[in-house]
Amino acid sequence: MEQKIEKKTVLDILSLINYAEGGIVSKEFEHSSAGNITLFAFDKGQKLSEHTAPYDAFLQILDGKAEIVIDMQTFQLNGGQMIIIPQGAPHAINATEQFKMILTMIKK
């Protein structure tokens, strides 16, 4: 069930989404013709296999640790860190431990 995030409301972002054992959970904040903002929770060991996106993607780790592979280069990100994945770059995401992130894609 999709629930929109209430606008003009102060929210505790880490409490908006829970981990699921052996899974990946996502919750969309906003989706429009201009782009989207999605919150994710990855359980340890989960991954998104290599893929590409037609837009730059701003990925911010909120909690935990993740391994991000962009163009075959590996980056280790901790809570509070971010990276921008270039448009069209092959990339994958691996949960080295449980982590939560926000993914923002802005269409050009």
Side-chain angles (χ1 to χ4, degrees):
M1 177 173 77
E2 182 180 326
Q3 288 183 300
K4 283 291 187 185
I5 303 297
E6 187 87 22
K7 294 181 181 181
K8 295 194 304 183
T9 302
V10 177
L11 301 166
D12 175 6
I13 197 162
L14 292 176
S15 69
L16 291 178
I17 195 165
N18 295 312
Y19 294 107
E21 187 174 337
I24 301 170
V25 180
S26 66
K27 186 171 196 173
E28 195 168 66
F29 279 88
E30 188 65 44
H31 184 90
S32 73
S33 59
N36 58 58
I37 303 170
T38 308
L39 178 63
F40 287 89
F42 283 67
D43 196 19
K44 182 178 181 176
Q46 296 301 302
K47 58 180 71 180
L48 291 179
S49 59
E50 187 175 81
H51 61 285
T52 60
Y55 315 104
D56 286 349
F58 172 85
L59 189 151
Q60 181 180 8
I61 305 299
L62 302 169
D63 183 47
K65 295 182 182 179
E67 178 182 85
I68 312 300
V69 180
I70 305 170
D71 283 328
M72 300 187 328
Q73 184 176 1
T74 301
F75 302 88
Q76 303 294 329
L77 277 74
N78 298 310
Q81 295 182 313
M82 55 78 63
I83 194 164
I84 296 174
I85 301 169
Q87 170 185 351
H91 60 280
I93 300 172
N94 303 308
T96 54
E97 64 177 54
Q98 284 186 327
F99 77 94
K100 293 180 182 180
M101 72 173 193
I102 292 180
L103 177 66
T104 304
M105 294 181 61
I106 299 174
K107 300 176 183 175
K108 297 179 182 182

